[in-house]
Amino acid sequence: MTGGIAPSIVGERPTPADEARLLASLPTGLLIGGEWRDASDGGTLEVHDPSTGEVLVAIASATPADGRAALDAAVAAQADWARTPPRERAEILRRAFDALTARRDDFALLMTLEMGKPLAEARGEVAYGAEFLRWFSEETARIGGRYATSPDGSSRLLVLKRPVGPCLFITPWNFPLAMATRKIAPAIAAGCTMVLKPAALTPLTALLFAQVLTDAGLPPGVLNVIPTASAGAVTGPLVRDPRLRKLSFTGSTEVGRRLIADAAEQVLRVSMELGGNAPLMVFDDADLDRAVEGAMLAKLRNGGEACTAANRILVHREVAAEFTERLVTRMREHTVARGTDPASRIGPLVDEATRSKVHELVLGAVAEGASLALGGAVVPGPGYFYEPTVLTDVPRGAAVLAEEIFGPVAPIVVFDTEEEAVGLANDTEFGLVAYAFTNDLARALRLAETLEVGMFGLNTGIVSNPAAPFGGVKQSGLGREGGAEGIEEYLETTYVGIADPWVGS
Ligand code: NAP
């Protein structure tokens, strides 16, 4: 169906009946070569609601043989797909953007159900995730090349851009839609085929999105989707398969490091969007209203389960007491509840393991001398809820400052000088994003030049933007997603050397 756009099947304020209807309408198979199929061994994977711990639905769980079949389909589709007119690929992306936007409430509810984030945030992710489709539909027709005369005039240079070829995408659970569209949209734009392995905790959004793309006219085999309970066993052989040309991974640095090592075997092109440990700096000349709101956004967006989450809040001694008091007041106002509850500002963490890790980091910091200014406890009852928490006097060596917290916990560290703040900010193996609040222009520019990060939020707590190159330095990754740079990750450069056309003419 490439005609009319279907509206959402659920309402803006979904009821339990809406939830049941949405779940019953989902594709639950593997998408391979344009067909929805069961796993080759009939195996299934249960997807849970983190706010209750209950099973939402069971879906097919791919085996290594299914993984190979998915790559076979991507390889078979590659040559024809690469030759499609750019405008045709652009229009598929644009139709998918329109369809995703029209089904905003379905996608938002689905993400809330499988991942836990409040509906308002899930709607924000639909808008953000869909924008990659629109952005890359616009980039499709702008893939260029060049023709030049060599400096000595003796030859001509032709530079062509071609699709890299079949790609493998591995995505995390924290942004089930946007982390997929950030890879799929530029790959479609460039003319690559692909196999997507979504996170085992949140595969439903990817399946529904694949259906939207199919309905938008994406040819069979261009996108193949293989959720699985055995990530390494299914993707390992694909990474070692010489027909695969690119691996793009978003997830933890630990897994990314292993995948880079595996990819080295056949010198596979890789893009890696890995972990973060963002510092958020508040200087004594900052607009404190802006700094508090920025910290709220950088800390609590997605319940703190974001690679861009402010992990270390560094505050100048002069403003530390006032900033802390205001942050505590704002965080206390946030209602912790199931994401479908209209009052919910913080949903559950994604699973028990994530919640236990968050709690251990908080207890560890307190044992080392930090004070609890707010929260610090597991919320009893079903689901994996955790209280919004503020830690002060956090000792410099505490694990909570070194590791990704991935929860609604704000550790505050006081500093005295800009040099000290920059030293603290850069004292990590990660380099994804940093935030600073200051009204001193020269200082802001010094920070932009010295912070070891791929992205810098200046007087803002959010940097994610489909029109900007998202990505990190150091152990936060390789490559960029979004912006004019994003499509380059899916293009290969071919240079053609040409004899001087005037010789012998
Ligand atoms: P993760 O544990 O690294 O998992 C990410 C993906 O990798 C999942 O699909 C997972 O499958 C798969 N995976 C795990 N082990 C694998 C293996 N041995 N071989 C192949 N695939 C494997 O990360 P996560 O917990 O889902 O996500 C949180 C992390 O992602 C955080 O570190 C966060 O900072 C990072 N992140 C980074 C960005 C960025 O743009 N830089 C954006 C979002 C998140 P299973 O689901 O089956 O385990």
Side-chain angles (χ1 to χ4, degrees):
M1 183 205 72
T2 57
I5 299 278
S8 281
I9 64 171
V10 307
E12 218 172 295
R13 289 212 160 187
T15 61
D18 279 338
E19 291 178 22
R21 217 146 41 87
L22 179 63
L23 292 171
S25 74
L26 293 178
T28 55
L30 312 171
L31 179 63
I32 299 177
E35 285 176 4
W36 294 97
R37 3 172 147 157
D38 290 338
S40 53
D41 65 355
T44 58
L45 161 69
E46 286 181 341
V47 183
H48 295 84
D49 177 344
S51 68
T52 61
E54 285 168 14
V55 176
L56 292 168
V57 68
I59 61 165
S61 173
T63 63
D66 296 321
R68 198 168 46 249
L71 183 59
D72 290 346
V75 170
Q78 180 59 65
D80 283 351
W81 179 238
R83 280 195 293 270
T84 51
R87 185 68 77 205
E88 203 173 303
R89 301 198 298 274
E91 306 237 312
I92 292 170
L93 284 170
R94 181 60 207 216
R95 278 196 296 273
F97 167 79
D98 290 340
L100 196 52
T101 305
R103 294 196 64 185
R104 180 187 78 146
D105 290 325
D106 289 347
F107 275 91
L109 177 59
L110 194 54
M111 281 193 278
T112 293
L113 290 177
E114 66 175 344
M115 184 273 169
K117 66 184 76 183
L119 269 179
E121 287 210 48
R123 287 196 188 104
E125 182 176 346
V126 177
Y128 174 56
E131 192 54 39
F132 286 99
L133 303 173
R134 180 157 63 175
W135 173 264
F136 284 107
S137 80
E138 292 158 349
E139 292 290 279
T140 311
R142 318 253 180 276
I143 299 168
R146 70 178 195 272
Y147 180 77
T149 303
S150 66
D152 66 0
S154 67
S155 63
R156 300 293 178 270
L157 288 69
L158 182 64
V159 179
L160 314 177
K161 295 285 185 177
R162 296 192 298 173
V164 167
C167 304
L168 172 63
F169 297 155
I170 302 178
T171 52
W173 50 263
N174 60 345
F175 292 98
L177 179 68
M179 296 305 98
T181 58
R182 233 161 56 165
K183 299 182 192 306
I184 292 170
I188 289 177
C192 296
T193 61
M194 61 212 103
V195 175
L196 168 68
K197 193 218 78 65
L201 289 170
T202 60
L204 304 180
T205 304
L207 292 174
L208 186 59
F209 176 57
Q211 191 177 55
V212 162
L213 272 173
T214 305
D215 289 349
L218 194 70
V222 174
L223 170 66
N224 304 278
V225 187
I226 50 164
T228 179
S230 319
V234 170
T235 62
L238 304 186
V239 172
R240 288 188 292 275
D241 190 314
R243 298 173 301 163
L244 188 75
R245 293 301 156 80
K246 160 111 199 173
L247 166 64
S248 179
F249 170 76
T250 299
S252 61
T253 295
E254 190 192 342
V255 174
R257 209 182 275 126
R258 258 185 283 149
L259 289 172
I260 294 171
D262 292 348
E265 207 172 293
Q266 55 153 337
V267 195
L268 196 60
R269 256 183 89 164
V270 295
S271 298
M272 292 278 148
E273 295 287 349
L274 307 179
N277 180 1
L280 183 145
M281 290 170 267
V282 181
F283 288 91
D284 50 350
D285 57 38
D287 173 336
L288 274 200
D289 290 336
R290 211 179 252 250
V292 171
E293 286 319 302
M296 290 296 294
L297 198 55
K299 182 69 258 179
L300 290 189
R301 177 170 173 245
N302 224 38
E305 294 173 308
C307 52
T308 49
N311 216 61
R312 299 169 292 153
I313 301 190
L314 313 176
V315 191
H316 191 275
R317 190 172 304 279
E318 285 292 311
V319 292
E322 188 181 348
F323 174 85
T324 304
E325 192 189 316
R326 288 165 70 171
L327 186 70
V328 166
T329 305
R330 289 285 286 112
M331 280 181 66
R332 189 182 281 125
E333 286 164 8
H334 272 48
T335 305
V336 179
R338 187 173 195 244
T340 49
D341 181 333
S344 173
R345 296 294 297 279
I346 301 185
L349 294 174
V350 76
D351 62 7
E352 183 52 47
T354 302
R355 181 168 70 170
S356 300
K357 187 192 161 193
V358 169
H359 195 43
E360 266 167 39
L361 286 172
V362 170
L363 294 180
V366 171
E368 286 180 61
S371 305
L372 275 170
L374 180 71
V378 160
V379 176
Y384 314 117
F385 295 92
Y386 198 79
E387 291 181 352
T389 297
V390 178
L391 289 164
T392 57
D393 307 316
V394 182
R396 304 259 162 121
V400 76
L401 300 178
E403 292 178 32
E404 265 192 306
I405 304 169
F406 250 56
V409 176
I412 296 180
V413 174
V414 173
F415 69 84
D416 289 294
T417 65
E418 179 183 316
E419 195 187 3
E420 185 190 0
V422 171
L424 285 169
N426 285 341
D427 185 19
T428 168
E429 72 266 27
F430 296 105
L432 189 60
V433 57
Y435 308 90
F437 291 83
T438 175
N439 280 330
D440 179 334
L441 177 61
R443 166 178 286 152
L445 294 175
R446 285 195 297 274
L447 293 173
E449 291 181 15
T450 48
L451 291 169
E452 296 168 353
V453 287
M455 300 176 287
F456 175 37
L458 180 57
N459 293 323
T460 176
I462 188 159
V463 293
S464 303
N465 187 326
F470 189 106
V473 300
K474 294 161 78 178
Q475 293 193 28
S476 286
L478 299 164
R480 295 293 181 271
E481 292 189 324
E485 292 79 359
I487 200 164
E488 291 296 331
E489 302 283 319
Y490 298 95
L491 292 171
E492 208 50 275
T493 301
T494 301
Y495 148 61
V496 184
I498 308 169
D500 186 340
W502 295 100
V503 171
S505 63

